[in-house]
Amino acid sequence: REGNRLIPGAEAQVLYAEVDKFYQGIERIERVAEDLVMLRTGTLRIGSMSTLGLSVVAEGVCRFARKHPEVRTSLDVRNSLGILELTSANQIDIGFVQIPSGEYPGIQTIALPPIGAVCVMPVDDVLAAKDVVTLEDLHERRLISLNTNNPLQRRITSAMEARGIVGISCVETTAAHSACGMVSGGLGITICDPFTAAYSKYPGITARKLDQDIPFEVSMVFPHHQQRSKLTLDFMQTMEGIFRAEFNS
């Protein structure tokens, strides 16, 4: 004390510094908690099979990231089995896959409504003048097909065989994007998922619905023992909105 003034000693100054750090820490925790509630911070790990990761899921990530610029968002694009493995190991928060037969351990699954495959052809092809392509239109046409192990290709083959339709298989590929690129190059026509057809940037191609519903089935997957975060739920809503608006007509 100097007169009527209290002058803190060295020990008091040390104590004040520690108390100040304590209260700053509490304020920081409160800010982080508020940011988490308001979805202004955090991390969202997304995984997707390539068909969706190169098309509609990438669009979903763009919309989500613009809405939540402070959130660290990652997108891992692999085949469906790779996404299932990452999900089971709790390495991603939400994944998009073509589920194989049987349940995969360590995951929760939500099936999205099936969406019909489409026929992709050059814009100057005779089929481009039609609103709906019949499977009979594909008889003896040059077809670019997906790999025989692809679930969608198996449904396509089954549907064509049931109606006695024989196409001329010119090329087989594991990726629908490659098939669309070959259509653009004039190699033939293809049947693929509507997501790839809609988001493909290859020039000179167009897509038409088929007269028979050949479903492309996709599921969202989550780690089984992890509660879904608000960020995960928000991204689910983003994706569901895109599916409803663009692919359920």
Side-chain angles (χ1 to χ4, degrees):
R1 175 185 293 272
E2 293 183 2
N4 294 327
R5 296 173 58 196
L6 289 175
I7 306 298
E11 294 83 358
Q13 291 178 359
V14 171
L15 178 61
Y16 173 79
E18 292 302 317
V19 172
D20 187 54
K21 290 179 184 178
F22 174 76
Y23 280 106
Q24 286 182 8
I26 291 177
E27 290 175 357
R28 180 177 179 277
I29 292 171
E30 290 175 343
R31 287 196 302 270
V32 171
E34 181 182 359
D35 286 344
L36 288 172
V37 170
M38 301 302 295
L39 305 184
R40 290 194 296 255
T41 190
T43 300
L44 181 64
R45 304 165 300 172
I46 305 162
S48 177
M49 57 182 288
S50 58
T51 296
L52 302 184
L54 299 175
S55 57
V56 67
V57 173
E59 171 63 21
V61 170
C62 288
R63 297 187 187 188
F64 180 86
R66 285 194 291 266
K67 183 179 177 182
H68 304 292
E70 302 304 319
V71 173
R72 293 188 60 185
T73 307
S74 64
L75 173 60
D76 197 331
V77 178
R78 307 189 181 196
N79 60 29
S80 288
L81 180 59
I83 298 303
L84 291 172
E85 291 172 346
L86 288 176
T87 306
S88 178
N90 197 24
Q91 295 299 304
I92 57 177
D93 302 304
I94 180 172
F96 296 83
V97 300
Q98 282 183 290
I99 285 287
S101 58
E103 295 185 358
Y104 196 89
I107 66 169
Q108 295 177 320
T109 303
I110 296 179
L112 293 167
I115 302 177
V118 296
C119 182
V120 179
M121 74 285 294
V123 293
D124 58 356
D125 191 281
V126 63
L127 297 182
K130 306 185 68 172
D131 293 328
V132 177
V133 172
T134 69
L135 293 185
E136 282 75 17
D137 291 330
L138 307 181
H139 187 66
E140 295 186 349
R141 291 294 306 266
R142 291 176 59 85
L143 300 180
I144 303 162
S145 60
L146 301 174
N147 186 277
T148 54
N149 292 325
N150 185 290
L152 177 60
Q153 184 60 49
R154 290 199 294 267
R155 295 189 184 101
I156 294 168
T157 301
S158 178
M160 293 181 66
E161 289 178 349
R163 289 166 66 168
I165 298 160
V166 179
I168 302 173
S169 181
C170 55
V171 176
E172 180 181 292
T173 177
T174 58
H177 280 272
S178 297
C180 289
M182 295 177 200
V183 173
S184 177
L187 196 58
I189 60 179
T190 192
I191 298 176
C192 72
D193 66 276
F195 306 108
T196 299
Y199 284 88
S200 174
K201 302 301 182 183
Y202 292 108
I205 65 175
T206 188
R208 296 292 182 269
K209 293 182 178 180
L210 293 167
D211 69 330
Q212 179 172 331
D213 183 34
I214 303 177
F216 178 73
E217 298 178 339
V218 178
S219 294
M220 294 186 290
V221 293
F222 313 88
H224 184 70
H225 298 294
Q226 176 178 304
Q227 185 176 0
R228 293 167 205 163
S229 68
K230 290 186 177 181
L231 292 174
T232 299
L233 295 174
D234 190 271
F235 186 71
M236 287 175 60
Q237 293 178 350
T238 298
M239 293 304 305
E240 289 168 348
I242 295 175
F243 290 142
R244 284 194 303 269
E246 299 186 19
F247 298 102
N248 278 353
S249 59

